[in-house]
Amino acid sequence: MLNRVKVVICGREYVLQTEEAPSYVYSLAKTLEKRIMDITESNARVSAHHAAVMVALSTLDELSRSTASVETIRAQVKEYVDEAGKARFERDAVLRENEVLKAKITQLENIVKLKSLKDSI
């Protein structure tokens, strides 16, 4: 369901249609306006429009860097999952080998007992 959300940024009213909660959109608008105002207040020659472009570029840079970080983390997680799968496979092989060796030990112990029994008779 689309929500119609009215926000005011730098004195201009915008009506947005979004599936997001209005409180979320208000928060974004407030953050955007603060970032624009920070730029325009620090340099009187910069218009709100130019400040908005600067904020947009800065935000795209943050998004690009975050996306790259996420991709790096995904690759690391995939590597860890692959390593964990390999370790699990190796552990299972060792457990199977351990069971085979336990069975052989039991067989050998039985042979020793039989031999011991034969020798005593």
Side-chain angles (χ1 to χ4, degrees), residues 9-115:
I9 301 171
C10 298
R12 294 199 57 189
E13 188 175 285
Y14 299 90
V15 178
L16 308 171
Q17 288 188 338
T18 178
E19 291 183 0
E20 300 297 335
S23 60
Y24 175 72
V25 177
Y26 295 140
S27 173
L28 291 176
K30 183 178 177 181
T31 300
L32 176 59
E33 182 170 39
K34 182 184 180 328
R35 290 179 72 180
I36 291 170
M37 296 309 263
D38 287 347
I39 293 171
T40 57
E41 287 173 359
S42 69
N43 188 341
R45 295 183 302 182
V46 175
S47 70
H49 174 79
H50 284 102
V53 170
M54 290 160 65
V55 170
L57 285 172
S58 173
T59 303
L60 283 173
D61 177 52
E62 291 170 13
L63 173 63
S64 179
R65 291 175 190 270
S66 295
T67 301
S69 292
V70 166
E71 290 305 317
T72 299
I73 291 168
R74 275 193 185 128
Q76 288 174 342
V77 167
K78 183 187 179 317
E79 191 177 309
Y80 296 151
V81 167
D82 291 347
E83 287 176 14
K86 182 180 176 186
R88 193 175 306 115
F89 179 78
E90 290 172 356
R91 181 207 62 198
D92 291 347
V94 167
L95 289 174
R96 283 190 302 274
E97 183 181 1
N98 192 26
E99 290 303 316
V100 168
L101 291 173
K102 282 181 182 179
K104 284 184 180 180
I105 288 171
T106 302
Q107 280 180 334
L108 291 172
E109 286 174 342
N110 288 336
I111 290 171
V112 168
K113 284 179 187 176
L114 279 174
K115 190 172 184 178

